[in-house]
Amino acid sequence: MKKILALILTVVLGVAACMGLTACGGDSDLQRVKDNNKLVVGVTVYPPMDYVDDQGEWAGFDAELAKMFAEELGVNCQIVIITWAQKVAELNSKQIDLVWNGMTASEELGAQIDFSVSYAKNAQVAVVKADSAITSKDQIKTAKVAVEAGSAGADVAADEAMTTVNPVTAQVDAINEVKAGTSDVAIIDITMAQSVVGKGEYAGLKIVEGVSYGDEIFAVGLRKGSDLKAKLDTFLKAKYADGTITALALEYGVGLNTEALAG
Amino acid sequence: MGEFLQVTSQLLEGFSTSVMLFILTLIIALPLGLIISFCTISKFAPLRIFFKVIVWILRGTPLMLQIFVIFYLPGLLNLFVWPTMDTGWAWFDRTITTRFIAALVAFSINYAAYFSEIYRGGIESISKGQFEAGQVLGMTKTQIFFKVVLLQVIKRIIPPMSNEIITLIKDTALANFISVLDILYWAKDFMLDGLIWPLFYAGAFYLVFVGLLTIIFNRVEKKLSYFRV
């Protein structure tokens, strides 16, 4: 019995030691992805960036770009759901190769992981009537402001301590308030503002120039020092140059970071 | 009604992951626990002490932390990455993911530690006289264990085992932490759409399952009651 147990123990320890020795060598992410024949992309369900469509397939602005990128690398694209709070651990432990999920490229996060070229941006802007006298943040503070309740715009209104705030149920209602004259200013997403203001029904409105709140840029997250970054940046810029990204942005209503993509 | 069906099928899919994790953990942890219990009652001191320390660590730290360590640490230390299955069988590949395998390893080791202590209690509760009687009859140690002791041990450990096994099905929800898409993940996912009832509905799945387990364990206990001394 004793001998058997000693044998078992030896085997257990031996296996543990072997596991320790079989390091998956090389630091090249590109090589790893090619060896595994798949690009693993970590996401959360976050429309319009990443979501599962009626056919059970991943769709969304980010998901479609990720699939194209994998195709360009000549490997399969595996999109996996991760816990957002653990994205850095997921990357560093090589469970995923990229975080591609409308991720805000913040300074704090930049200390842990690398970012691709920023491909999209989000910010809150002020929409007013085309003939409005409002041109500055100070004037907006004391004006009648419409925001969507619970939105980033509502946060801006609270942070800026705006005096008269009308919370409405949708961003489009906020613009309608301005159009109807019941509010002076609507604080909404730049993505939405750019797609509707100044056109059709909303031709009589404009975005206040030079005023925006809470600028956020979206980027793809990579492991620090990953050699996938050069490939990814080239890919994003090329897809912008040939119009693919612009078409996707229109389809999914995403505000592109055109300066970064064109640079 | 369409919504109810959609929620039901999604939760069922999630629950199949939970149940798979439950069954596979039992298949690995039940024998592994017995081996560990032999080690912790061994007369060979280094082996005994080594496994006592292992059991102490496994029972003394949160399972959630163990899952985290087992899933992320090998990659963070550049040792290895948990394998994926590419069998091409959609349900299997969707259920048995890298994450699932790491969770299975964590659950198996953790539950084996708890089971080993239950086995140890059972084995040590058998009176010494029975071992001695076996030896007098000329039986080997192995024969005594499998022919005399084991069945009595099984009978005695069924109540604490059923307790631990019932805990296991609920603990599988911890695998959520490394994004194993179990029933609670999907229940929470519906919350993003503003639905809260799927969460309570998910509770019913566990309740029914534990109800079935309880009935099974009662049956087994009754079957073994002829052993009463």
Side-chain angles (χ1 to χ4, degrees), chain A residues 3-146:
Chain A
K3 273 182 194 158
I4 296 170
L5 291 178
L7 192 69
I8 291 170
L9 182 62
T10 318
V11 169
V12 168
L13 292 178
V15 167
C18 283
M19 276 179 155
L21 290 173
T22 46
C24 33
D27 288 345
S28 168
D29 268 356
L30 190 58
Q31 198 55 48
R32 251 178 49 81
V33 167
K34 290 202 164 152
D35 288 348
N36 295 339
N37 193 28
K38 70 179 172 209
L39 178 74
V40 188
V41 180
V43 305
T44 62
V45 176
Y46 175 41
M49 300 316 232
D50 295 292
Y51 60 94
V52 178
D53 67 13
D54 296 338
Q55 279 81 48
E57 294 290 325
W58 280 102
F61 182 80
D62 284 352
E64 298 219 11
L65 273 178
K67 284 185 208 167
M68 286 180 207
F69 182 52
E71 202 177 319
E72 180 158 302
L73 293 176
V75 297
N76 295 319
C77 182
Q78 188 186 24
I79 296 180
V80 295
I81 293 177
I82 61 165
T83 306
W84 194 239
Q86 284 144 232
K87 54 189 174 295
V88 175
E90 292 275 348
L91 271 179
N92 288 340
S93 66
K94 302 180 181 59
Q95 299 299 341
I96 58 174
D97 299 310
L98 302 173
V99 179
W100 204 327
N101 194 220
M103 181 177 69
T104 302
S106 68
E107 232 173 90
E108 300 81 42
L109 202 54
Q112 314 280 336
I113 60 178
D114 278 354
F115 298 127
S116 70
V117 57
S118 165
Y119 59 92
K121 63 181 172 184
N122 193 19
Q124 303 299 311
V125 292
V127 175
V128 294
K129 279 196 172 168
D131 57 2
S132 168
I134 291 174
T135 53
S136 71
K137 285 190 178 181
D138 283 341
Q139 286 171 302
I140 294 171
K141 255 188 190 177
T142 52
K144 281 182 285 179
V145 178

Side-chain angles (χ1 to χ4, degrees), chain B residues 3-219:
Chain B
E3 185 182 80
F4 180 77
L5 285 178
Q6 194 205 341
V7 170
T8 305
S9 79
Q10 193 69 74
L11 291 188
L12 261 177
E13 163 141 5
F15 200 56
S16 71
T17 304
S18 307
V19 171
M20 274 295 271
L21 189 55
F22 170 83
I23 293 171
L24 293 177
T25 299
L26 284 184
I27 290 175
I28 300 173
L30 285 171
L32 186 62
L34 191 59
I35 294 172
I36 296 177
S37 76
F38 289 153
C39 296
T40 53
I41 55 179
S42 163
K43 289 196 184 83
F44 183 55
L47 187 69
R48 188 178 62 237
I49 292 164
F50 177 79
F51 276 96
K52 290 235 172 193
V53 170
I54 297 279
V55 169
W56 170 59
I57 292 170
L58 290 172
R59 294 199 307 170
T61 55
L63 178 51
M64 197 188 238
L65 191 61
Q66 291 167 23
I67 294 172
F68 189 93
V69 166
I70 286 175
F71 184 54
Y72 290 119
L73 205 62
L76 289 173
L77 296 179
N78 256 321
L79 299 178
F80 64 92
V81 178
W82 293 98
T84 29
M85 305 273 169
D86 291 309
T87 57
W89 183 24
W91 178 83
F92 190 83
D93 286 349
R94 217 168 43 237
T95 308
I96 315 292
T97 58
T98 314
R99 290 148 204 283
F100 183 93
I101 291 169
L104 176 61
V105 170
F107 277 100
S108 299
I109 299 176
N110 183 273
Y111 270 79
Y114 281 98
F115 289 158
S116 79
E117 286 296 277
I118 296 177
Y119 285 128
R120 188 175 64 84
I123 294 169
E124 289 180 345
S125 74
I126 306 297
S127 72
K128 233 181 162 186
Q130 296 198 28
F131 290 93
E132 288 165 357
Q135 277 171 332
V136 169
L137 291 171
M139 294 167 87
T140 65
K141 270 190 170 175
T142 322
Q143 279 178 322
I144 297 173
F145 183 78
F146 286 104
K147 300 211 164 150
V148 180
V149 178
L150 189 60
L151 201 55
Q152 300 179 67
V153 170
I154 290 174
K155 179 191 138 49
R156 287 188 193 183
I157 64 175
I158 282 194
M161 272 295 185
S162 57
N163 222 357
E164 212 48 57
I165 288 170
I166 283 170
T167 308
L168 172 60
I169 184 67
K170 292 171 291 163
D171 269 2
T172 54
L174 284 173
N176 225 296
F177 184 61
I178 52 168
S179 312
V180 171
L181 306 181
D182 73 333
I183 185 170
L184 279 191
Y185 171 85
W186 292 113
K188 280 194 295 180
D189 193 56
F190 284 114
M191 253 161 83
L192 294 179
D193 306 335
L195 299 180
I196 296 170
W197 63 266
L199 211 53
F200 303 114
Y201 187 25
F205 280 76
Y206 286 101
L207 262 183
V208 169
F209 193 81
V210 170
L212 289 174
L213 284 180
T214 310
I215 292 170
I216 292 171
F217 281 121
N218 281 341
R219 288 254 167 101

